[in-house]
Amino acid sequence: MALAAKLQLRQSQSLVMTPQLMQSIRLLQFTHVELEHFIDEEIERNPLLERAEPQDDAASDQAQKIEAEPQATSEGDWFENETQWSAEAISDKLDTSLENLFPDDPGTSERLGPDLTAQWKSASGNGAGSSSEWFDAGDMATAAITLRDHVGEQVALAFADPAARLIAADHADGLDETGYLRADLAEIAARLGADAAAVAKVLAVCQTFEPAGLFARDLAECLSLQLAVRSRLDPAMKALVANLELLARRDFHALKRICGVDEEDLLDMLAEIRALDPRPGMAFSGGASDAIVADVEVRAANDGSWTVELNAETLPRVLVDHIYFAQVSPQAKNQAEKDFLAECLQNANWLTRSLDQRAKTILKVASEIVRQQDAFLVHGVRQLKPLNLRTVADAIGMHESTVSRVTANKYMLTPRGVFELRYFFTASIAASGGGDAHSSEAVRDRIKQLIDEEKPVDVLSDDAIVDMLRESGVDIARRTVAKYREGMNIPSSVQRRREKRAMASAGR
């Protein structure tokens, strides 16, 4: 067969991920904070984008009303006739001299005349520039004291010797946010060229600082320092603190034998341990937890249905400045400037459309979740239905990956609290009688209730819980019960029996 070159035409379909399409996909999974940061960057790059700040209509109307209405004056009005207010007149009005009003500015009565009234207007908020010059008491609020500042003050008072103070400052630098000393004493001594005994002596003094437990090198030492301050570090308590691993396993029989105490004394000792602070430095962390801002709000409607709305606080308001584009585009000097303006306009229009599409998608997904989980909103977690991403995606005509991005790090405010959208997607557990499947979250709540209601003489094993759940229509395996129990930090039946019997005997 002879070889020859020829031209052929073929048709094919392919998905091309343009940069704008990829950015639109990213916008779906952005949180509120991430979206605000992204928009700020876009506004900084694009001169045609601007934020649409909400207008305070009430304040605007009030301001217009004040400007429109003439201000009535009374006999006691301070500013009814500014030109007549001399220093002597003001002194008569106040029944005192201006030197008493301004003690740090002698000779005021000679230098201040009618202009004083205007100055008072400005200081009292009546002047045009008073809003920026008015004193704000919040500016005088003290900053939060850090752990380093708190320890530094005590170091300055506890050590007079400069060498000891230097060692103590090095110890303070070695503290982590919980108040533990994470540095090695031998390394500190070698680095500072100090004697190891002197370093240990300084540490002993630092361990007396407030709050008790600072400069501890492990949990046992932290608890011991706090017990020593309370004069409760007796031999039995020392033995308990030295065997915290047994306490974690709830091996009370071994602890009673090691400490040489009975069950009542052991329970008293455990109560004292619980009252201690294992992380004393966290009181100075100063980090306030961020409040969760719900992206969707769900409220009960009058007809018995649910009203699903987007939270206006999480919706960014971005506008395209077409007026500025119309003013600037005719002044473009070359093709590069024209291309730049055209690209800015295209990106701005794309961003506004993408934000609108993002809001509609979130609302559509949230509405379907509310429809699927109507029983949960009415009756609680026991009625939470098993749900997966594919079910919601098929119902709203979207891809499963789109629903996954929408539900990531988004929150819904319901009459039963604030929940992450992912909370409503739970695994399915089959029913023993062939009925409707049960949600894994509802089964967890049922297991927790059974354990909370058990009696010390009848502690439920995992097999007993399985039998009780099957009687109520839940077909579940023993290993699944154990996994859910451990996930809720609930100890085994053996450990629970020891603890509850000890508590029951102490109650007698």
Side-chain angles (χ1 to χ4, degrees):
M1 180 181 294
L3 298 177
K6 56 183 179 179
L7 184 63
Q8 294 181 343
L9 296 177
R10 293 182 180 179
Q11 284 186 336
S12 62
Q13 292 182 343
S14 62
L15 178 63
V16 180
M17 296 290 290
T18 63
Q20 290 186 345
L21 180 59
M22 295 177 63
Q23 194 64 261
S24 299
I25 295 176
R26 287 182 57 201
L27 287 179
L28 284 177
Q29 58 190 9
F30 275 170
T31 64
H32 168 59
V33 177
E34 293 173 342
L35 183 61
E36 290 291 338
H37 180 68
F38 170 77
I39 291 176
D40 289 338
E41 292 180 345
E42 289 296 318
I43 292 177
E44 185 177 355
R45 287 195 295 260
N46 195 333
L48 301 182
L49 281 175
E50 63 178 8
R51 285 189 178 273
E53 299 296 339
Q55 300 294 330
D56 190 352
D57 297 335
S60 177
D61 295 342
Q62 184 66 19
Q64 294 177 2
K65 182 178 180 181
I66 293 175
E67 292 178 0
E69 295 179 356
Q71 300 297 320
T73 59
S74 62
E75 183 179 357
D77 192 349
W78 280 90
F79 310 114
E80 58 184 351
N81 193 350
E82 299 180 9
T83 58
Q84 297 179 0
W85 283 106
S86 61
E88 292 76 7
I90 295 176
S91 299
D92 294 340
K93 187 73 174 181
L94 297 176
D95 195 22
T96 184
S97 64
L98 292 181
E99 284 79 0
N100 294 332
L101 292 177
F102 306 98
D104 297 332
D105 192 6
T108 305
S109 59
E110 289 78 6
R111 292 187 293 104
L112 292 180
D115 293 338
L116 178 60
T117 305
Q119 297 176 16
W120 284 0
K121 278 188 177 181
S122 178
S124 60
N126 296 319
S130 60
S131 59
S132 61
E133 300 173 359
W134 184 245
F135 172 75
D136 186 3
D139 297 338
M140 302 299 294
T142 58
I145 299 177
T146 63
L147 176 61
R148 186 71 176 83
D149 296 335
H150 179 73
V151 172
E153 294 177 357
Q154 299 184 70
V155 168
L157 297 175
F159 300 98
D161 182 34
R165 187 176 297 177
L166 178 62
I167 297 175
D170 193 275
H171 287 339
D173 291 337
L175 291 177
D176 62 6
E177 62 178 3
T178 61
Y180 285 75
L181 180 63
R182 300 303 184 183
D184 183 72
L185 296 185
E187 180 183 349
I188 294 176
R191 185 175 66 253
L192 299 180
D195 184 61
V199 174
K201 183 179 179 180
V202 171
L203 177 61
V205 176
C206 292
Q207 288 180 343
T208 63
F209 289 173
E210 292 290 337
L214 292 179
F215 292 92
R217 286 160 287 185
D218 52 37
L219 178 59
E221 188 175 21
C222 179
L223 299 179
S224 298
L225 292 173
Q226 298 180 54
L227 291 169
V229 172
R230 303 184 181 193
S231 300
R232 286 293 297 126
L233 194 59
D234 51 30
M237 191 65 79
K238 287 182 179 179
L240 177 61
V241 174
N243 294 274
L244 294 177
E245 67 280 358
L246 296 178
L247 179 59
R249 296 201 302 266
R250 291 178 170 83
D251 193 350
F252 298 129
H253 290 291
L255 289 175
K256 288 190 295 183
R257 176 176 49 82
I258 294 174
C259 299
V261 296
D262 56 14
E263 289 185 357
E264 184 176 357
D265 291 337
L266 180 61
L267 289 176
D268 292 339
M269 295 166 64
L270 294 179
E272 294 184 34
I273 292 294
R274 292 191 185 98
L276 303 178
D277 187 0
R279 298 182 294 176
M282 294 301 294
F284 302 92
S285 61
S289 59
D290 296 332
I292 294 177
V293 180
D295 299 270
V296 182
E297 297 180 357
V298 179
R299 295 189 301 272
N302 296 330
D303 57 355
S305 61
W306 299 100
T307 301
V308 184
E309 296 178 350
L310 294 176
N311 186 2
E313 295 182 0
T314 62
L315 294 178
R317 300 174 177 87
V318 181
L319 297 178
V320 181
D321 196 345
H322 293 280
I323 298 178
Y324 181 71
F325 175 78
Q327 293 176 349
V328 176
S329 55
Q331 302 178 9
K333 298 179 180 179
N334 48 49
Q335 188 63 34
E337 294 182 357
K338 294 181 180 179
D339 294 341
F340 172 75
L341 291 174
E343 182 180 0
C344 288
L345 181 62
Q346 181 182 2
N347 292 337
N349 291 328
W350 161 81
L351 180 59
T352 55
R353 288 195 300 268
S354 297
L355 291 176
D356 181 66
Q357 184 64 34
R358 175 183 181 271
K360 292 180 179 178
T361 305
I362 293 176
L363 183 60
K364 186 180 296 185
V365 173
S367 300
E368 180 61 24
I369 292 176
V370 170
R371 191 184 70 83
Q372 295 280 352
Q373 301 293 358
D374 174 75
F376 163 78
L377 297 174
V378 176
H379 303 289
V381 67
R382 293 293 177 83
Q383 299 299 323
L384 188 66
K385 294 171 53 179
L387 186 66
N388 54 38
L389 298 174
R390 181 177 294 276
T391 302
V392 175
D394 294 341
I396 62 178
M398 291 186 176
H399 196 271
E400 187 176 347
S401 61
T402 302
V403 178
S404 177
R405 293 186 179 95
V406 170
T407 56
N409 300 316
K410 308 293 190 308
Y411 292 88
M412 179 186 294
L413 175 62
T414 71
R416 295 195 172 273
V418 179
F419 300 93
E420 189 178 4
L421 294 184
R422 290 286 178 92
Y423 174 82
F424 299 98
F425 296 90
T426 59
S428 175
I429 298 179
S432 58
D436 294 336
H438 301 272
S439 167
S440 60
E441 193 67 28
V443 174
R444 285 191 183 93
D445 184 76
R446 177 61 177 160
I447 293 174
K448 184 177 184 301
Q449 182 187 21
L450 292 174
I451 294 177
D452 291 340
E453 294 176 353
E454 65 185 4
K455 299 179 180 179
V457 295
D458 189 18
V459 176
L460 300 175
S461 64
D462 291 344
D463 291 325
I465 295 176
V466 169
D467 295 337
M468 298 178 70
L469 290 176
R470 286 180 176 174
E471 291 178 359
S472 61
V474 181
D475 186 11
I476 190 171
R478 180 187 179 279
R479 62 178 180 274
T480 306
V481 172
K483 181 181 70 173
Y484 288 170
R485 176 179 53 77
E486 294 172 356
M488 292 183 290
N489 294 323
I490 298 177
S492 64
S493 59
V494 176
Q495 294 173 334
R496 299 200 309 274
R497 184 178 295 108
R498 291 174 181 172
E499 185 174 355
K500 292 189 177 185
R501 285 181 177 177
M503 294 176 63
S505 60
R508 294 195 300 269

